[in-house]
């Protein structure tokens, strides 16, 4: 698998064209599949590739400054809307919804010359960490068919890892970019909350959701971030600090980071037990390499981490209950015949909303309870107060360290069906990813070796808010030193 820069070099040399690349990628997506796509938009993709080809022939080479994604086939998670394309969110309730507009993030990718192949599979409305909750079937792990690819952006991660696109968009609410990136052995970046516009993303938990890239390299993740980022008048939560220029950080090369001047914080709470021995050994190996480069390894404490999963699942389900109220068969959502024939309004809603899957129903019920009269103070407001304490923990930790490091998940990819009957065990997959989401800070998953079964292990890097340049620089130097050469041939 080539990087975007290498593909553009091939375009410039005439050894590859945007049309050839798009058609071969579409063929791979059709034939190998993996359940990674819900909808392939072949006609639109080929048309965009032809437009890219015409521009390339006119310019004589790729105009990298103006159109840094010219002719690059991308996948878009199916909870991010694209005009004229079906957007299902992995749910039967939106099975036939065609969006009349395009998300800001996708608009910016298309303006940079990207080719949109289609919409990738996900856990229904982003609710899950295994990609087993999609109404359109599970996604298959790209190298171990009996394992899950992670979720909820499992379709995007599997497609990137298997060469069914060259980069993809995911969304991260509590780890939904980083977890599947870790399980599939690719790079997943969750930007700072507000860095990338959420306009056009179907909301799950509005105070947590963030769009980000899943790629084969840190350099490609930086490129997509730069293209997508920036304040958007259509999204009141997008920040004036939003626009990033981190792609240049990776061009300083392997020596861009002076490891001897870097303080790397290791949260004590991430090593309190329950981490698979292979995962722990891989992370400890990364720390030993960093020590050998002269980095100062600092033990830091995030004392409220033990509450993070509980806080997350109160806040997320509460906001989901509110956001999904519009999926009622009147404002949005399918209106099945049995609902139309209902005799009462209650019966109508019961029939229409029965199209939700069991996990979505579970979270709506939990969120409705948490927001109900007499309970919202005890649950939602208290969770928001503890969330503030978690943010303060990170602020204090970043006074002691420049960047934080830890595992993405306690385990590698587990077997399909292994945790579907135990929601609590499934929720604990997110134990190391939800703290960064609650704090709104940027975090990235990088490949960090394989376990004894040959399954990828993910290493998580976390930086202060709007410090993506630091995150990308450190991540790129580590990736080139420890991962890049080994993964190119995969």
């Amino acid at each position: 698998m080539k990087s975007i820069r290498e593909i553009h070099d091939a375009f410039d040399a005439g050894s590859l064209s945007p049309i050839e690349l798009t058609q071969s990628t579409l063929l791979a997506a059709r034939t190998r599949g993996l359940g990674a796509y819900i909808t392939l938009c072949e006609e639109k993709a080929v048309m965009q590739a032809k437009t890219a080809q015409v521009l390339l022939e006119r310019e004589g080479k790729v105009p990298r400054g103006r159109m840094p994604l010219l002719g690059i086939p991308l996948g878009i998670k199916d909870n991010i809307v694209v005009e004229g394309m079906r957007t299902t969110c992995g749910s039967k309730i939106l099975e036939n919804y065609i969006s009349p507009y395009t998300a800001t993030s996708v608009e910016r990718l298309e303006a940079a010359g990207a080719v949109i192949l289609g919409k990738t599979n996900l856990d229904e409305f982003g609710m899950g960490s295994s990609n087993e909750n999609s109404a359109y079937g599970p996604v298959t792990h790209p190298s171990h068919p009996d394992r899950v690819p992670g979720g909820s952006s499992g379709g995007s991660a599997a497609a990137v890892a298997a060469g069914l696109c060259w980069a993809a968009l995911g969304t991260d609410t509590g780890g939904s970019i980083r977890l599947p990136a870790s399980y599939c052995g690719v790079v997943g970046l969750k930007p700072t909350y507000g860095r990338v516009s959420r306009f056009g993303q179907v909301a799950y938990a509005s105070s947590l959701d963030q769009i980000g890239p899943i790629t084969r390299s840190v350099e490609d993740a930086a490129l997509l971030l730069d293209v997508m980022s920036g304040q958007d008048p259509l999204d009141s939560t997008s920040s004036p600090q939003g626009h990033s220029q981190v792609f240049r950080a990776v061009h300083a090369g392997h020596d861009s980071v002076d490891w001897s001047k870097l303080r790397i914080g290791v949260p004590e709470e991430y090593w309190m037990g329950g981490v698979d021995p292979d995962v722990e050994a891989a992370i400890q190996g990364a720390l030993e390499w960093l020590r050998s480069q002269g980095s100062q390894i600092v033990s830091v404490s995030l004392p409220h981490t033990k509450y993070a999963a509980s806080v997350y699942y109160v806040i997320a389900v509460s906001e989901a209950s509110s956001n999904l109220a519009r999926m009622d068969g009147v404002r949005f959502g399918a209106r099945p015949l049995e609902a139309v024939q209902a005799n009462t309004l209650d019966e109508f809603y019961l029939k229409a909303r029965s199209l939700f899957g069991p996990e979505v129903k579970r979270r709506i019920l939990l969120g409705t309870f948490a927001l109900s009269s007499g309970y919202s103070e005890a649950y939602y407001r208290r969770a928001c107060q503890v969330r503030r304490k978690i943010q303060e923990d990170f602020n204090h930790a970043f006074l002691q360290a420049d960047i934080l490091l830890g595992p993405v998940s306690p385990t590698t990819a587990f077997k399909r069906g292994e945790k579907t009957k135990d929601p609590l065990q499934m929720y604990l997959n997110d134990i190391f990813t939800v703290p960064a989401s609650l704090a709104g800070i940027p975090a990235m998953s990088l490949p960090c070796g394989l376990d004894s079964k040959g399954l990828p292990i993910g290493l998580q890097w976390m930086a202060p808010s709007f410090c993506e340049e630091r995150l990308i620089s450190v991540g790129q130097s580590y990736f080139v030193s420890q991962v890049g050469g080994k993964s190119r041939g995969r």
Side-chain angles (χ1 to χ4, degrees):
M1 289 284 288
K2 294 181 174 69
S3 68
I4 291 173
R5 181 152 50 97
E6 290 168 336
I7 292 171
H8 280 167
D9 288 343
F11 286 172
D12 288 346
S15 58
L16 182 65
S17 74
I19 295 173
E20 292 169 341
L21 180 65
T22 298
Q23 289 176 335
S24 64
T25 310
L26 284 169
L27 178 62
R30 284 196 307 270
T31 55
R32 189 174 182 195
L34 301 176
Y37 285 92
I38 292 177
T39 305
L40 274 175
C41 301
E42 299 189 36
E43 185 176 337
K44 177 183 175 74
V46 171
M47 186 181 305
Q48 289 179 326
K50 288 179 178 178
T51 301
Q53 181 68 33
V54 169
L55 180 62
L56 180 63
E57 291 172 353
R58 188 175 71 226
E59 299 273 342
K61 62 179 182 178
V62 175
R64 303 184 194 216
R66 238 176 343 109
M67 305 191 78
L69 294 173
L70 185 72
I72 303 298
L74 305 182
I76 307 296
K77 187 177 179 181
D78 200 24
N79 62 346
I80 303 171
V81 302
V82 180
E83 183 179 358
M85 285 190 188
R86 189 167 69 135
T87 299
T88 71
C89 293
S91 179
K92 287 294 183 182
I93 206 165
L94 288 176
E95 184 172 14
N96 298 311
Y97 175 70
I98 306 296
S99 175
Y101 69 102
T102 297
T104 298
S105 56
V106 180
E107 275 190 344
R108 291 174 177 176
L109 295 175
E110 290 183 316
V115 173
I116 307 303
L117 296 179
K119 309 299 285 297
T120 58
N121 207 346
L122 70 155
D123 287 297
E124 187 176 6
F125 285 101
M127 299 182 188
S129 55
S130 66
N131 227 136
E132 295 173 284
N133 295 333
S134 172
Y136 303 94
V139 178
T140 300
H141 191 283
S143 61
H144 291 71
D146 63 329
R147 304 278 168 161
V148 301
S152 62
S153 306
S156 291
V160 171
L164 311 184
C165 62
W166 295 84
L169 290 193
T171 61
D172 195 307
T173 306
S176 290
I177 287 174
R178 289 161 287 158
L179 189 65
S182 172
Y183 283 2
C184 293
V186 291
V187 174
L189 172 63
K190 183 200 86 69
T192 302
Y193 183 81
R195 174 73 85 179
V196 176
S197 171
R198 293 186 300 109
F199 180 75
Q201 179 202 335
V202 180
Y204 163 20
S206 302
S207 72
L208 295 163
D209 295 340
Q210 186 61 81
I211 296 172
I214 297 176
T215 59
R216 297 281 301 190
S217 70
V218 176
E219 178 181 339
D220 289 352
L223 179 55
L224 263 69
L225 178 65
D226 279 1
V227 169
M228 291 190 294
S229 65
Q231 189 173 20
D232 178 13
L234 299 174
D235 176 10
S236 61
T237 64
S238 66
S239 171
Q241 302 178 58
H243 184 62
S244 69
Q245 294 181 327
V246 299
F247 183 60
R248 70 177 188 274
V250 305
H251 284 292
H254 171 57
D255 297 325
S256 61
V257 172
D258 186 345
W259 293 106
S260 65
K261 294 181 179 178
L262 199 67
R263 299 172 301 163
I264 298 174
V266 180
E268 297 170 359
E269 291 74 16
Y270 285 25
W271 305 104
M272 301 299 284
V275 179
D276 183 270
D278 286 347
V279 174
E280 184 169 354
I283 306 300
Q284 292 294 348
L287 288 170
E288 285 303 315
W289 181 83
L290 292 166
R291 283 192 186 94
S292 73
Q293 302 303 303
S295 295
Q296 181 184 356
I297 307 301
V298 181
S299 179
V300 299
S301 179
L302 302 172
H304 293 90
T305 292
K306 60 185 176 182
Y307 305 117
S310 300
V311 167
Y312 171 78
Y313 278 103
V314 171
I315 292 175
V317 300
S318 297
E319 295 181 6
S321 171
S322 177
N323 282 324
L324 294 187
R326 73 196 74 179
M327 306 294 170
D328 58 6
V330 178
R331 290 166 290 184
F332 291 95
R335 192 178 301 176
L337 180 61
E338 55 267 33
V340 174
Q341 295 173 341
N343 295 316
T344 66
L345 185 61
D346 284 349
E347 186 182 354
F348 173 86
Y349 278 122
L350 180 65
K351 298 296 184 183
R353 289 168 71 83
S354 67
L355 294 172
F356 284 130
E359 182 60 31
V360 175
K361 290 177 182 176
R362 181 184 295 118
R363 298 195 190 196
I364 289 175
L365 286 170
L366 288 169
T368 302
F369 174 77
L371 292 177
S372 61
S373 178
Y375 292 97
S376 60
E377 290 285 322
Y379 291 102
Y380 185 73
R381 185 175 178 184
R382 182 64 59 86
C384 290
Q385 290 171 337
V386 179
R387 177 184 187 173
R388 181 60 188 165
K389 293 292 184 182
I390 291 170
Q391 292 171 333
E392 290 172 357
D393 287 347
F394 277 103
N395 291 340
H396 185 261
F398 285 124
L399 295 176
Q400 305 168 63
D402 302 304
I403 200 160
L404 303 185
L405 180 150
V408 175
S409 172
T411 68
T412 51
F414 50 89
K415 291 184 178 179
R416 287 166 65 167
E418 185 178 320
K419 300 184 180 182
T420 52
K421 295 182 180 180
D422 190 344
L424 183 58
Q425 285 300 312
M426 187 74 79
Y427 296 166
L428 290 176
N429 292 324
D430 301 333
I431 190 69
F432 297 137
T433 53
V434 296
S437 294
L438 290 167
I441 62 173
M444 179 166 56
S445 172
L446 295 182
C448 184
L450 305 173
D451 72 1
S452 57
K453 303 179 188 68
L455 290 160
I457 296 169
L459 177 67
Q460 182 175 206
W461 298 86
M462 294 166 280
S465 292
F466 296 103
C467 287
E468 276 85 351
E469 183 168 342
R470 183 187 308 175
L471 186 69
I472 292 291
S473 295
V474 170
Q476 169 68 358
S477 290
Y478 177 84
F479 186 85
V480 170
S481 299
Q482 298 296 297
V483 183
K486 302 173 188 176
S487 66
R488 281 287 184 222
R490 277 204 322 220

